[in-house]
Amino acid sequence: MAAGCAYNAGEKPLEIGTGMRALVVEDENAVASFIERGLQEAAFAVDVAGDGDAGLHLATTEYYDVIVLDLLLPQRDGFSVLRALREQGIATPVICLTARDALDDRVRGLNLGADDYLVKPFSFVELLARIRAVMRRGQTLADNPISVGDLTVDVVTRAVERSGQRIDLSAREYALLEYLARHAGEVVSRTMILERIWDMRHDPKTNVIDVHINRLRRKVDAGFDSPLIHTVRGCGYVLKAG
Ligand code: CA
C-alpha cells in the first residue's frame, strides 16, 4: 500500500503550530514538559532549554517562530536573555512567564521587548491564545502574501492561488509549500524540511517528503507551462519561477 495513503489518512486537521518551531526556556521540568507536550500536540516542533545560557544559545543559532521564556532562570535570567536577543536584532515573538504578583517583572519584560506575558500558573489554552495573538501580529508582514511567479501564498489566511485559481492543500502540504515560499529561490534541504515540518531529526529513509512534494507538484504545477517546484539533485528542493 502506498505510504501516501497512510500519511493522508493519519493527517491531522490544520493546527496552529504546523510548520512552526517553538523554543521553551524554563528550568522547572514539570512546567517545561507541560508546555512542550501541549505545543507538540498543537503541531509545533519544540526545543527546550533548561537555563538562560542554553536558551540564548539556541535562540541565536536556530530559527524559531515563537519563544516561551521564563524570567527566573539559572545561569542567566530571562531579562538578560531577552535583552541580548533584541540587541542582536532577533525579533522573534517572546512570551514571558512570570510569577504571580510580579508586576514589576512584567513591566520590565515588556520594556525589554517581550511581546506578551503569562502569570504562573496558567492553562495551556491561555498560552496557546497568546501565541496565536503574537504570531498573528508577526504575520501582518509587508510581504504577505508571498508571491513566486504567478503563485501566491497568503500566510495569514493560508489561501494559495496560482494564476488566480484557488489551490486546496492539506495542512502538511500547505506547511511545506509555505516553508518553500518563505525561502523562495533558496535550496531547502530534506533535513531542513523534516525538522521544520515533521519534527523528525534522524530518519533519512522516510519518503514522507517525496510523497508530499509529489502531491504539491500535482496541485501547484500540473497544468501549468512552467513548474515552480524544482528538485536539486542530492540537495533538496527550491521554489522559484522559471
Ligand atoms: Ca524558573
Side-chain angles (χ1 to χ4, degrees):
M1 198 57 214
C5 299
Y7 281 113
N8 194 32
E11 205 154 52
K12 288 188 191 169
L14 192 65
E15 298 275 6
I16 173 185
T18 304
M20 302 282 172
R21 291 188 74 84
L23 172 64
V24 178
V25 190
E26 167 63 86
D27 58 312
E28 287 168 70
N29 284 336
V31 180
S33 31
F34 160 74
I35 299 173
E36 182 184 24
R37 276 199 312 272
L39 288 176
Q40 283 170 343
E41 278 168 22
F44 283 86
V46 186
D47 285 339
V48 176
D51 64 64
D53 282 342
L56 181 59
H57 176 73
L58 279 173
T60 50
T61 52
E62 303 276 329
Y63 174 83
Y64 296 101
D65 297 282
V66 67
I67 298 172
V68 180
L69 177 67
D70 187 32
L71 289 175
L72 292 176
L73 293 168
Q75 309 295 334
R76 175 191 272 276
D77 69 19
F79 299 111
S80 168
V81 172
L82 189 54
R83 184 184 299 112
L85 283 181
R86 297 311 188 223
E87 278 173 4
Q88 293 183 44
I90 295 168
T92 308
V94 172
I95 296 175
C96 290
L97 305 181
T98 72
R100 188 186 292 278
D101 300 329
L103 179 63
D104 289 352
D105 283 1
R106 284 173 236 157
V107 172
R108 195 171 157 210
L110 292 172
N111 284 341
L112 283 173
D115 295 83
D116 210 337
Y117 65 85
L118 265 179
V119 178
K120 289 181 179 178
F122 53 84
S123 72
F124 188 76
V125 172
E126 229 179 319
L127 175 62
L128 209 54
R130 302 298 171 91
I131 290 176
R132 204 186 297 269
V134 298
M135 294 205 327
R136 196 180 297 132
R137 266 178 251 155
Q139 283 172 345
T140 51
L141 302 165
D143 58 355
N144 187 57
I146 302 167
S147 295
V148 181
D150 54 359
L151 176 77
T152 58
V153 179
D154 187 316
V155 302
V156 176
T157 64
R158 302 197 168 197
V160 175
E161 292 187 351
R162 184 156 185 197
S163 285
Q165 290 172 43
R166 194 188 155 84
I167 298 172
D168 289 315
L169 300 176
S170 74
R172 291 289 187 188
E173 290 161 1
Y174 173 81
L176 177 56
L177 183 65
E178 182 188 310
Y179 187 56
L180 290 169
R182 283 181 184 272
H183 295 269
E186 301 167 24
V187 178
V188 176
S189 74
R190 297 170 59 84
T191 305
M192 287 161 73
I193 293 173
L194 272 182
E195 284 187 2
R196 171 87 184 192
I197 310 296
W198 278 273
D199 199 13
M200 288 180 197
R201 300 264 157 135
H202 304 290
D203 188 6
K205 291 197 203 95
T206 179
N207 71 342
V208 65
I209 295 179
D210 310 80
V211 168
H212 281 76
I213 287 282
N214 286 339
R215 285 198 207 145
L216 270 185
R217 285 193 157 125
R218 284 199 294 272
K219 293 185 177 182
V220 172
D221 282 340
F224 291 92
D225 289 340
S226 54
L228 297 175
I229 302 168
H230 304 267
T231 303
V232 182
R233 206 163 290 284
C235 294
Y237 302 95
V238 60
L239 185 71
K240 62 175 183 180

